[in-house]
Amino acid sequence: MTDNRGIISSGNNNHFSNNAIGKSAKVLGEAVPPHIGATASGGSGEAEPTATWDIGVVTILSEELRSVVDELDLRRHREPGGLYFYRGSLHTPDSTVRIVATQSQSPGQRSAMAALENLRHHYAPRLWAMVGVGGGIDSERARIGNVIVSTEVVYYEHRKINPNGDVRHRGEHRQSPAPVVHAVNAFFAENGMPAHLRRRRRSRTWEEFDVHPGPIGSGEAVIADGDSEIRQYLKAYHEKVLAVDMEAGGLSQYWQEHSVHGAENPGWIVIRGVSDNADEHKGHAHHELAARNAAHVLRELIPFICSPLS
């Protein structure tokens, strides 16, 4: 018999288990730490502790997070350290999809990137989804209540300001990985272009709206001017830009900078319900409508956007 004295412990990542203390202490076998996700219920069933997290959802406003939580039947979970996430699973014809959602601390690119990092650190999802509201800049397709599904982001914030006041924007254009683009194409091939969806309201009436694919512009500016030079620039840069937001550029940048790592880099998608027309009438009156329509579109897209990554 080995005369061990002291403490024996196995584990990693600051998680210690199978401890033995005292004379002749032994640890038989190597302990496997519990999965970061623990157990979460929601959607169509219970999420298995050891399964992969499939979709990480970032929202910005409370209405957006509440809409995603309600639509996907997610449950609140508090990680050690105080961060809150909402987790659950959804059965599709092909698989069970595990979903985790969070809300950034504030609007804008920087806070969105911090929320993505929190999701990556705790859950390492295989797909990023930014879901919420945006401003429409296409009067025909981006009407209030409609939803824009984007796999292309034009970041418009970089610019040069010349001495005479002339502003020259230097746009950046990024596209989602090919599997995500193919998945979105399949969704519209099966549902029409545009896709016409119906969502049941709490009042048991039906909300009908159209879903369009297309690029969105992203920057730090809140646009509330129908004649804004930013709107004019985006249309000149890419005439098919349908909407604007303040966070998607951060998502595409985060993805770009993490593409150098050896592990598989998640795909990404942006889903924006149109809450205003980015003009002088901009306000909060249609946030709830736009957020719930966007969350519903996420649910409808899940069987498509998860399949290529499985």
Side-chain angles (χ1 to χ4, degrees):
M1 179 180 296
T2 303
D3 187 17
N4 293 332
R5 296 176 183 272
I7 300 174
I8 298 176
S9 178
S10 66
N12 55 32
N13 294 330
N14 295 324
H15 176 86
F16 299 99
S17 56
N18 281 23
N19 303 313
I21 302 175
K23 184 177 180 179
S24 301
K26 291 184 179 181
V27 176
L28 301 178
E30 183 176 354
V32 179
H35 188 268
I36 53 178
T39 300
S41 63
S44 303
E46 196 76 9
E48 293 297 327
T50 57
T52 302
W53 291 94
D54 297 291
I55 302 179
V57 181
V58 174
T59 63
I60 311 303
L61 306 176
S62 296
E63 299 98 319
E64 297 171 346
L65 179 60
R66 184 169 59 247
S67 297
V68 170
V69 167
D70 289 348
E71 186 69 35
L72 300 175
D73 194 21
L74 306 183
R75 297 289 182 266
R76 185 179 69 243
H77 173 79
R78 186 174 185 266
E79 289 287 348
L83 293 177
Y84 282 92
F85 298 91
Y86 291 78
R87 312 183 313 189
S89 59
L90 180 72
H91 290 311
T92 73
D94 300 320
S95 63
T96 297
V97 179
R98 283 164 55 91
I99 307 151
V100 56
T102 191
Q103 180 181 351
S104 67
Q105 290 193 18
S106 61
Q109 316 285 343
R110 294 172 299 171
S111 189
M113 293 176 75
L116 289 163
E117 179 61 22
N118 289 334
L119 278 173
R120 186 200 64 80
H121 175 73
H122 289 282
Y123 296 96
R126 295 190 296 171
L127 178 78
W128 304 117
M130 187 160 283
V131 182
V133 306
I137 62 172
D138 184 292
S139 59
E140 181 179 349
R141 290 170 290 179
R143 295 191 297 269
I144 291 175
N146 282 356
V147 176
I148 309 303
V149 174
S150 183
T151 56
E152 296 180 73
V153 173
V154 177
Y155 181 70
Y156 61 76
E157 202 65 53
H158 290 318
R159 58 196 170 200
K160 179 183 180 182
I161 303 176
N162 293 310
N164 61 2
D166 180 40
V167 178
R168 298 294 179 91
H169 288 275
R170 297 172 173 176
E172 296 179 3
H173 188 180
R174 293 194 181 95
Q175 187 175 44
S176 300
V180 181
V181 177
H182 280 282
V184 171
N185 289 344
F187 169 82
F188 284 104
E190 294 188 20
N191 291 277
M193 180 85 78
H196 187 73
L197 299 187
R198 301 174 74 215
R199 174 181 62 83
R200 193 173 186 125
R201 298 170 172 171
R202 292 177 177 176
S203 61
R204 299 187 180 277
T205 59
W206 292 94
E207 176 68 34
E208 298 188 2
F209 57 94
D210 289 335
V211 185
H212 293 268
I216 65 170
S218 187
E220 294 288 353
V222 177
I223 303 175
D225 179 5
D227 297 321
S228 166
E229 54 94 12
I230 293 176
R231 291 178 57 136
Q232 296 172 18
Y233 166 77
L234 287 172
K235 283 299 185 180
Y237 184 94
H238 195 319
E239 76 280 5
K240 293 185 178 180
V241 172
L242 300 181
V244 291
D245 77 359
M246 295 175 61
E247 293 81 27
L251 169 61
S252 66
Q253 181 73 24
Y254 184 89
W255 174 84
Q256 176 74 23
E257 295 194 10
H258 280 75
S259 64
V260 299
H261 298 317
E264 181 181 355
N265 198 22
W268 58 267
I269 191 169
V270 180
I271 304 171
R272 290 302 193 195
V274 179
S275 62
D276 59 74
N277 297 125
D279 58 16
E280 59 275 13
H281 302 295
K282 180 179 176 63
H284 304 285
H286 301 293
H287 276 183
E288 185 80 13
L289 167 69
R292 292 201 174 272
N293 287 356
H296 183 74
V297 170
L298 170 63
R299 186 185 182 103
E300 295 297 310
L301 276 166
I302 283 175
F304 296 87
I305 59 179
C306 284
S307 295
L309 303 174
S310 299

